[in-house]
Amino acid sequence: DAIITVDREERVTSWNASATRIFQYQDREILQQKIWTLVPRELYEQWQGEVLQEGGVKRIEAPLRQHNGMFVDGSLTLSPLRGPCDEIVGLSAIIKDVTEEKQLRERLLQSEKLRGLGEMAAGIAHNFNNALTAILGQTRLLAQHPADVGAVQKALVIIEKAAEDSVRTVQRIQKFARRPATSEFMPTDLNQVIQEALEATQPIWKDQAWREGRPIEVVMELGTIPPVPGRSSELREVLVNMIL
C-alpha cells in the first residue's frame, strides 16, 4: 500500500516506494507538492475538514491521478497525523489501487446478470411461442373468413393482446438487462420494484414450474411505505436473482 503524509497546508511530506509504484512519481518530484496533484482538490479539502473536525479515521474510494495523467481507482484511509504535543499537524493516507478489484466485481455482477437471463430464456421462449401460435392461428382464420366482420374483430382482439403481451415481456427483459444510466440514488417505490421482479421472472416461477408439475404460489404482503433513496435497477436485479 502507498503511505503518504500531508501537512496542514496540503503539501506531501513523505512518500514510500509503493506510492511511487501506484502514482509513478519519484519522491523528489512530489515532496512538498500539493496533494491535489494526486486527488481532486475539492474532495481532499472536504475529507481533510471532516478528519480534522472529527479527529477520526475516514475511508473512501476515489479516482487517483497518475504522473501520466491517467486515473486509477483508489481506496484511501485517512487519519490525523499528530505532532510531539499531540496536536494535529496533517493527515496520514494509506492508499490501495483497487482498479483490478473493481473491474473484477463489475465482471462478476455482469456474469450473474447473464446467468439470470439465461435461466429466464427458456420460459420467455415458451411465452413468445404461445403468442406467435395465437397470432398465426388467428391470421389463418382471417384468411379463411375475411368477410365475417364478427370473426375478424374477435381475431384482431386476440392478435392485439398476444402482441401486447410480447411487448411487455421484451420490456421486462430490457429493464433487467439494461445497465443503469446513473449511479445516483433516486426516490424508489420498493413495492413496484418487487412487482416488476415478479413479472420479469414469471416465465420461470409460474409458467415453467407449472409445466413441470410443481406449481408455485406467490403471496405478496406489501405495506404502504413512502419512496426510499435507491437504485431501482440494481434492487430489481437483486430480487430477480433471489427469485431465480
Side-chain angles (χ1 to χ4, degrees):
D1 295 350
I3 302 175
I4 301 171
T5 58
V6 185
D7 64 18
R8 295 291 291 262
E9 284 71 45
E10 301 170 347
R11 294 173 303 204
V12 177
T13 54
S14 69
W15 183 265
N16 71 348
S18 290
T20 296
R21 176 180 54 80
I22 291 174
F23 292 101
Q24 301 173 5
Y25 280 98
Q26 298 299 321
D27 52 5
R28 64 179 179 276
E29 298 174 297
I30 199 68
L31 291 179
Q32 298 305 312
Q33 299 296 318
K34 295 289 189 179
I35 185 64
W36 57 73
T37 303
L38 312 174
V39 300
R41 178 174 181 172
E42 290 184 1
L43 288 177
Y44 181 81
E45 289 178 343
Q46 176 188 334
W47 303 333
Q48 177 179 248
E50 293 172 359
V51 172
L52 295 180
Q53 182 178 0
E54 299 167 7
V57 175
K58 185 174 183 62
R59 296 180 177 86
I60 57 268
E61 287 196 5
L64 306 173
R65 186 186 299 110
Q66 295 178 311
H67 196 332
N68 58 10
M70 301 294 289
F71 284 86
V72 295
D73 294 308
S75 173
L76 294 81
T77 301
L78 301 178
S79 55
L81 186 66
R82 299 186 179 276
C85 299
D86 202 37
E87 76 279 17
I88 297 178
V89 296
L91 297 186
S92 168
I94 300 175
I95 303 170
K96 182 187 293 291
D97 181 355
V98 295
T99 305
E100 290 186 7
E101 180 182 329
K102 189 174 181 181
Q103 291 172 347
L104 181 62
R105 286 201 306 264
E106 290 174 354
R107 287 198 297 270
L108 181 62
L109 289 172
Q110 187 64 15
S111 68
E112 284 296 306
K113 182 182 291 186
L114 292 174
R115 183 186 64 81
L117 283 171
E119 291 186 18
M120 293 162 65
I124 292 162
H126 182 80
N127 281 5
F128 274 119
N129 186 58
N130 287 346
L132 290 172
T133 299
I135 291 171
L136 289 171
Q138 295 304 314
T139 53
R140 287 168 183 156
L141 286 174
L142 288 175
Q144 293 171 6
H145 308 284
D148 188 337
V149 176
V152 169
Q153 290 178 337
K154 182 179 179 182
L156 288 175
V157 169
I158 295 172
I159 289 172
E160 182 180 27
K161 184 178 185 305
E164 288 175 347
D165 288 346
S166 298
V167 168
R168 282 194 290 271
T169 298
V170 171
Q171 290 172 341
R172 288 198 296 266
I173 297 307
Q174 286 176 329
K175 274 186 177 180
F176 177 67
R178 178 184 301 136
R179 295 183 73 87
T182 176
S183 60
E184 296 297 324
F185 276 24
M186 302 291 290
T188 302
D189 183 340
L190 295 181
N191 289 342
Q192 181 180 341
V193 170
I194 292 171
Q195 289 166 344
E196 289 174 348
L198 281 171
E199 288 175 2
T201 54
Q202 180 176 315
I204 295 291
W205 63 259
K206 184 177 182 181
D207 306 331
Q208 184 174 317
W210 182 82
R211 290 196 304 274
E212 295 173 356
R214 46 185 184 90
I216 296 171
E217 180 185 4
V218 174
V219 179
M220 288 193 292
E221 297 179 358
L222 305 181
T224 302
I225 56 173
V228 300
R231 300 188 182 101
S232 59
S233 60
E234 296 184 18
L235 289 168
R236 188 166 49 243
E237 185 177 334
V238 168
L239 287 170
V240 165
N241 285 330
M242 290 174 65
I243 293 167
L244 293 178

